[in-house]
C-alpha cells in the first residue's frame, strides 16, 4: 500500500506557476484513513481549517517552517553539509578541468531547498569556491521566504527563488537536492532526471535516504528523539520507508546524455553509518575527471552495469 507523507498532502501548488491551491482537510483525512494510516489522519484532523473545511494556509506554513527548522538541526548533527561537499568539491573540480579556469562562474541549484540549509551552509563555509553561485529553489513560498530571511540575517552570498527549478531563466551547472528523490514515484522519478538531462546542466548530485533495512528504525529513533511535532515524527519514518532501491535510482537516472553513478551502493555501505548518499549524473566526458578528482574514494562509485555490491 502506498505510504503518504502528511507534508505532501496539506499544501499543494501548481508545478509550473507555483500558485497555491486550497486543500480540504476532510479529503486529506479520508485519503489517509482509506490508506490505513489512522495516526496520520488524526494529525491532519487536528489542523486548523475555515468554515468550508479548507486548511488554514498560514497555520500550515507555520507548521512546515517549524518542522523544517527541526530537520535543519538534524542535518547539522549528521554533518550533512560536509558529506555533500565530499562529493560536490571533486565534481566541480572535474567540471573546471574540462571547461577551463576562466569558464566560470558556475551555478549550483538546490532543488526543493526548503529552508535552504545546504545553500546557506555552502555560502557560510565557501566550500565550493568563489566562482560557484549558490541558488535555492522551492515551490513552497513560505519555506523560500524563511530561507531568504535567514540568509540575509546571516549575511550570506546566496539567493532563493520561489518556483520550479527547471523553469529558471539562468541555466544550472549542477543540480543538487537532499531528501527529495523519495517524493517522486513511478514515472515521475524518471521525468525528474530527464528534465535535468535536457537542460544545459553538466551534472546532478541528489542525496537521499539509503534504502537499508535499518533505515526506518534509525529514522524512528532520530525523529522520536529530536522532532517535537507529531507530523515531523510521522513523515521522517515514512520517508525512510519510501527510499528508492539502488537499482531504481540508477535506472531512473539513466537519461539520454547522462552517465548515472551511485556513490556508496547498498552492498558496500555500512548500514549503521550511511543515512543519505547520492545518485550522481554527469555528462559522459566528465566521468573520468570526476573519478580522478575523487582519488581513492572513486572506488565507491558504481554504474548501472555493475552489481550493487561491486564497489570496493
Amino acid at each position: 500500500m502506498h505510504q503518504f507523507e502528511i507534508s505532501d498532502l496539506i499544501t499543494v501548488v501548481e508545478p509550473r506557476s507555483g500558485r497555491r491551491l486550497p486543500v480540504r482537510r476532510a479529503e486529506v483525512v479520508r485519503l489517509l484513513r482509506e490508506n490505513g494510516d489512522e495516526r496520520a489522519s488524526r494529525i491532519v484532523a487536528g489542523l486548523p481549517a475555515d468554515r468550508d473545511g479548507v486548511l488554514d494556509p498560514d497555520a500550515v506554513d507555520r507548521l512546515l517552517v517549524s518542522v523544517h527548522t527541526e530537520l535543519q538541526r538534524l542535518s547539522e548533527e549528521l554533518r550533512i553539509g560536509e558529506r555533500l561537499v565530499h562529493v560536490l568539491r571533486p565534481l566541480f573540480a572535474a567540471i573546471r578541468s574540462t571547461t577551463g579556469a576562466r569558464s566560470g562562474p558556475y551555478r549550483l541549484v538546490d532543488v526543493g531547498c526548503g529552508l535552504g540549509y545546504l545553500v546557506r551552509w555552502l555560502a557560510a563555509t565557501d566550500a565550493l569556491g568563489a566562482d560557484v553561485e549558490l541558488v535555492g529553489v522551492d515551490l513552497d513560498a513560505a519555506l523560500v521566504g524563511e530561507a531568504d530571511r535567514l540568509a540575509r540575517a546571516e549575511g550570506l552570498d546566496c539567493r532563493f527563488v520561489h518556483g520550479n527549478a527547471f523553469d529558471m531563466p539562468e541555466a544550472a551547472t549542477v543540480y543538487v537536492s537532499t531528501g527529495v528523490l523519495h517524493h517522486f514515484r513511478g514515472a515521475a522519478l524518471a521525468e525528474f532526471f530527464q528534465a535535468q538531462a535536457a537542460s544545459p546542466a553538466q551534472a546532478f548530485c541528489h542525496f537521499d535516504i539509503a534504502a537499508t533495512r535499518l533505515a526506518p528504525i534509525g529514522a524512528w529513533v532520530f525523529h522520536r528523539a529530536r522532532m517535537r511535532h507529531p507530523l515531523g515524527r510521522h513523515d521522517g519514518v515514512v520517508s525512510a520507508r519510501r527510499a528508492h532501491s539502488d537499482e531504481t535510482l540508477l535506472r531512473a537516472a539513466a537519461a539520454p546524455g547522462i552517465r548515472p553513478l551511485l556513490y556508496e551502493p547498498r552492498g558496500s555501505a555500512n548500514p549503521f553509518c550511511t543515512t543519505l548518499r547520492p545518485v550522481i549524473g554527469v555528462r559522459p566526458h566528465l566521468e573520468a575527471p570526476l573519478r580522478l578528482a575523487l582519488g581513492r574514494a572513486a572506488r565507491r562509485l558504481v554504474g548501472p552495469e555493475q552489481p550493487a555490491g561491486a564497489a570496493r
Side-chain angles (χ1 to χ4, degrees), residues 164-209:
N164 188 312
F166 307 130
D167 286 341
M168 295 178 61
E170 312 98 334
T173 308
V174 176
Y175 285 105
V176 302
S177 71
T178 55
V180 168
L181 292 182
H182 66 270
H183 291 279
F184 293 94
R185 318 306 298 178
L189 182 64
E191 292 169 2
F192 175 77
F193 289 114
Q194 288 165 6
Q196 295 162 79
S199 77
Q202 291 295 298
F204 56 73
C205 183
H206 297 291
F207 281 74
D208 206 4
I209 303 164

Side-chain angles (χ1 to χ4, degrees), residues 239-301:
S239 294
R241 290 174 178 163
R242 298 176 74 195
H244 295 297
S245 69
D246 294 0
E247 295 75 17
T248 296
L249 289 174
L250 284 172
R251 184 168 57 251
I258 289 292
R259 167 66 170 159
L261 299 163
L262 193 65
Y263 192 76
E264 293 188 330
R266 184 179 62 247
S268 64
N270 184 335
F272 293 97
C273 300
T274 303
T275 50
L276 276 74
R277 51 72 198 276
V279 59
I280 302 168
V282 296
R283 300 301 177 184
H285 70 276
L286 281 173
E287 181 178 0
L290 172 60
R291 289 183 178 276
L292 181 63
L294 280 167
R296 291 174 59 85
R299 296 178 297 175
R300 303 181 190 179
L301 285 175

Side-chain angles (χ1 to χ4, degrees), residues 61-72:
D61 287 346
R62 288 192 298 270
L63 174 58
L64 292 181
V65 168
S66 175
V67 169
H68 277 77
T69 300
E70 293 183 332
L71 287 172
Q72 175 179 301

Side-chain angles (χ1 to χ4, degrees), residues 140-155:
D140 191 304
L143 296 179
V144 168
E146 181 65 6
D148 184 67
R149 184 191 70 80
L150 290 169
R152 286 186 284 106
E154 296 160 358

Side-chain angles (χ1 to χ4, degrees), residues 32-289:
L32 291 168
R33 284 179 177 163
E34 290 178 352
N35 200 55
D37 196 339
E38 285 294 333
R39 177 168 173 254
S41 70
R42 290 194 298 271
I43 293 172
V44 174
L47 299 179
D50 64 17
R51 293 180 181 179
D52 296 323
V54 175
L55 286 172
D56 181 347
D58 293 331
V60 169
D61 287 346
R62 288 192 298 270
L63 174 58
L64 292 181
V65 168
S66 175
V67 169
H68 277 77
T69 300
E70 293 183 332
L71 287 172
Q72 175 179 301
R73 187 175 65 247
L74 283 180
S75 295
E76 293 169 346
E77 293 173 352
L78 294 173
R79 304 179 73 155
I80 297 300
E82 294 177 28
R83 296 186 185 194
L84 269 61
V85 168
H86 176 71
V87 177
L88 290 177
R89 188 176 284 151
L91 181 55
F92 274 98
I95 292 172
R96 291 186 186 99
S97 73
T98 60
T99 59
R102 298 183 180 180
S103 296
Y106 306 100
R107 181 174 294 110
L108 177 144
V109 173
D110 185 5
V111 183
C113 66
L115 293 185
Y117 170 73
L118 170 60
V119 168
R120 291 187 289 111
W121 190 92
L122 291 171
T125 58
D126 193 28
L128 299 180
D131 60 346
V132 178
E133 179 187 0
L134 303 169
V135 184
V137 186
D138 203 293
L139 286 169
D140 191 304
L143 296 179
V144 168
E146 181 65 6
D148 184 67
R149 184 191 70 80
L150 290 169
R152 286 186 284 106
E154 296 160 358
L156 300 175
D157 185 15
C158 56
R159 63 188 178 97
F160 295 93
V161 178
H162 172 227
N164 188 312
F166 307 130
D167 286 341
M168 295 178 61
E170 312 98 334
T173 308
V174 176
Y175 285 105
V176 302
S177 71
T178 55
V180 168
L181 292 182
H182 66 270
H183 291 279
F184 293 94
R185 318 306 298 178
L189 182 64
E191 292 169 2
F192 175 77
F193 289 114
Q194 288 165 6
Q196 295 162 79
S199 77
Q202 291 295 298
F204 56 73
C205 183
H206 297 291
F207 281 74
D208 206 4
I209 303 164
T212 67
R213 286 178 294 177
L214 292 177
I217 299 173
W220 183 88
V221 171
F222 269 107
H223 289 79
R224 186 71 183 177
R226 306 302 288 155
M227 302 294 283
R228 296 181 180 89
H229 197 279
L231 183 150
R233 294 176 176 177
H234 173 275
D235 282 8
V237 177
V238 172
S239 294
R241 290 174 178 163
R242 298 176 74 195
H244 295 297
S245 69
D246 294 0
E247 295 75 17
T248 296
L249 289 174
L250 284 172
R251 184 168 57 251
I258 289 292
R259 167 66 170 159
L261 299 163
L262 193 65
Y263 192 76
E264 293 188 330
R266 184 179 62 247
S268 64
N270 184 335
F272 293 97
C273 300
T274 303
T275 50
L276 276 74
R277 51 72 198 276
V279 59
I280 302 168
V282 296
R283 300 301 177 184
H285 70 276
L286 281 173
E287 181 178 0

